[in-house]
């Protein structure tokens, strides 16, 4: 084996391909072809792909089926082991909670323990708050702790004031502070513009900086000319640069009012 081979560089090259997809410098297909070439080149030099290489390669794929084929290839040709991160990446491409729970079962059979990323992936697929909370309770037996993303995802599924308040109370009990995503979600679920504007002022008291998506969410709650004028004053005070979504929803609001 070539002693100059650094597997971490291999991982970095794969992550660079992922960044290129995001920046639209490469198509996904081109990036995957490059990753396949890297596998061939490093293997010829005697490098053994570790799990981090496999996981970085998987993240270039768009579908679970493609990921499963790549895992099979790595295991058959190189006996590359999988870990919890491997399953979290697979889970992120699951089409249903049932599909994701089968992956959780596979993990436990292999002796792999779920983590907070696993929890959040499962809750994202949950059709309701109650099912999400059931998953949260079940995974607590693995010492999996929820984080702010867990509760923001649960909040996005809340359909009643009772569900929303229960989630917020549990966050407080766990000393998990609300962030901007929390407030954007709450504003989106507010029953009217005054309630949404009140939440906006609350996030300001917590020294959170609103972004343009916060303002767009507020804009969708506007129901009168007075609401709109108030929001435009806020927009000016916050000096947040508008985007396409802002202008599109502003036109809709003006037409509606």
């Amino acid at each position: 084996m070539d002693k100059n081979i650094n597997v971490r560089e291999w991982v970095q090259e794969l992550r660079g391909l992922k960044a290129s997809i995001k920046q639209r410098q490469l198509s996904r297909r081109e990036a995957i072809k490059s990753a396949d070439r890297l596998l061939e080149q490093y293997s010829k030099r005697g490098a053994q792909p570790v799990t981090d290489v496999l996981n970085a390669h998987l993240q270039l794929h768009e579908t679970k089926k493609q990921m499963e084929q790549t895992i099979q290839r790595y295991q058959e040709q190189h006996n590359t082991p999988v870990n919890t991160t491997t399953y979290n990446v697979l889970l992120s491409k699951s089409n249903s909670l049932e599909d994701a729970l089968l992956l959780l079962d596979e993990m436990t059979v292999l002796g792999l323990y779920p983590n907070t990323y696993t929890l959040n992936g499962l809750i994202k697929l949950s059709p309701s708050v109650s099912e999400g909370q059931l998953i949260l309770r079940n995974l607590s037996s693995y010492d999996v702790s929820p984080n702010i993303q867990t509760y923001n995802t649960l909040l996005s599924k809340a359909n009643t004031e009772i569900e929303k308040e229960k989630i917020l109370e549990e966050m407080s009990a766990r000393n998990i502070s609300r962030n901007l995503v929390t407030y954007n979600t709450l504003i989106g679920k507010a029953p009217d513009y005054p309630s949404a504007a009140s939440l906006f002022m609350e996030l300001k008291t917590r020294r959170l900086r609103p972004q343009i998506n916060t303002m767009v969410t507020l804009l969708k709650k506007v129901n009168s000319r007075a609401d709109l004028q108030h929001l435009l004053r806020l927009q000016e005070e916050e000096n947040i640069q508008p985007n396409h979504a802002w202008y599109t929803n502003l036109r809709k609001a003006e037409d509606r009012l």
Side-chain angles (χ1 to χ4, degrees), residues 188-215:
K189 290 185 172 294
D192 50 37
Y193 180 78
S195 301
S198 177
L199 286 164
F200 180 86
M201 300 312 296
E202 185 179 321
L203 77 85
K204 293 282 292 177
T205 63
R206 290 178 181 250
R207 297 186 178 182
L208 296 171
R209 179 168 174 76
Q211 302 295 323
I212 186 59
N213 56 332
T214 313
M215 309 309 289

Side-chain angles (χ1 to χ4, degrees), residues 53-256:
V53 170
L54 168 60
N55 292 341
H57 195 150
L58 290 181
Q59 292 182 51
L60 302 176
H61 291 302
E62 196 166 23
T63 69
K64 183 167 167 280
K65 183 178 180 180
Q66 291 170 335
M67 290 180 181
E68 289 171 337
Q69 290 170 343
T70 295
I71 291 171
Q72 184 177 4
R73 179 181 174 191
Y74 271 74
Q75 291 190 324
E76 288 179 353
Q77 296 180 7
H78 306 283
N79 200 30
T80 307
V82 296
N83 63 8
T84 297
T85 300
T86 312
Y87 274 91
N88 287 342
V89 176
L90 280 169
L91 196 148
S92 71
K93 297 299 181 181
S94 295
N95 294 319
S96 66
L97 179 59
E98 291 74 18
D99 189 25
L101 289 173
L102 288 175
L103 289 172
L104 179 62
D105 289 341
E106 282 185 31
M107 287 176 63
T108 55
V109 168
L110 292 173
L112 300 173
Y113 291 95
N115 58 21
T116 303
Y117 291 102
T118 318
L119 170 65
N120 292 343
L122 291 169
I123 288 178
K124 184 177 179 181
L125 289 166
S126 300
S128 66
V129 169
S130 59
E131 289 200 46
Q133 289 173 327
L134 178 60
I135 289 167
L136 176 55
R137 289 194 296 272
N138 288 342
L139 263 63
S140 65
S141 62
Y142 293 97
D143 293 326
V144 176
S145 298
N147 60 11
I148 183 61
Q149 184 183 343
T150 311
Y151 286 106
N152 285 341
T153 305
L154 281 171
L155 273 175
S156 71
K157 297 177 183 296
N159 292 318
T160 67
E161 193 69 20
I162 292 174
E163 286 181 335
K164 185 182 71 176
E165 290 304 322
K166 185 176 180 181
I167 293 165
L168 294 173
E169 286 171 9
E170 192 170 330
M171 284 176 64
S172 297
R174 290 181 180 270
N175 292 317
I176 296 177
S177 299
R178 303 176 190 185
N179 64 9
L180 184 59
V181 175
T182 312
Y183 277 99
N184 287 347
T185 304
L186 291 172
I187 288 170
K189 290 185 172 294
D192 50 37
Y193 180 78
S195 301
S198 177
L199 286 164
F200 180 86
M201 300 312 296
E202 185 179 321
L203 77 85
K204 293 282 292 177
T205 63
R206 290 178 181 250
R207 297 186 178 182
L208 296 171
R209 179 168 174 76
Q211 302 295 323
I212 186 59
N213 56 332
T214 313
M215 309 309 289
V216 171
T217 307
L218 268 171
L219 184 52
K220 292 176 181 178
K221 296 294 174 180
V222 164
N223 201 38
S224 70
R225 284 284 171 184
D227 292 345
L228 182 56
Q229 290 304 313
H230 179 265
L231 177 55
L232 292 174
R233 285 196 299 273
L234 288 179
Q235 170 79 358
E236 186 176 354
E237 289 169 7
E238 296 300 326
N239 194 28
I240 298 172
Q241 290 299 311
N243 61 7
H244 178 72
W246 168 264
Y247 287 121
T248 298
N249 283 278
L250 180 58
R251 286 194 298 271
K252 288 180 180 178
E254 288 173 335
D255 291 344
R256 188 174 72 251

Side-chain angles (χ1 to χ4, degrees), residues 9-27:
E9 291 178 4
W10 188 355
V11 173
Q12 288 304 315
E13 287 193 72
L14 290 168
R15 289 175 178 168
L17 291 173
K18 182 182 178 182
S20 294
I21 295 172
K22 189 174 183 180
Q23 294 162 9
R24 298 186 178 180
Q25 296 169 340
L26 286 176
S27 69

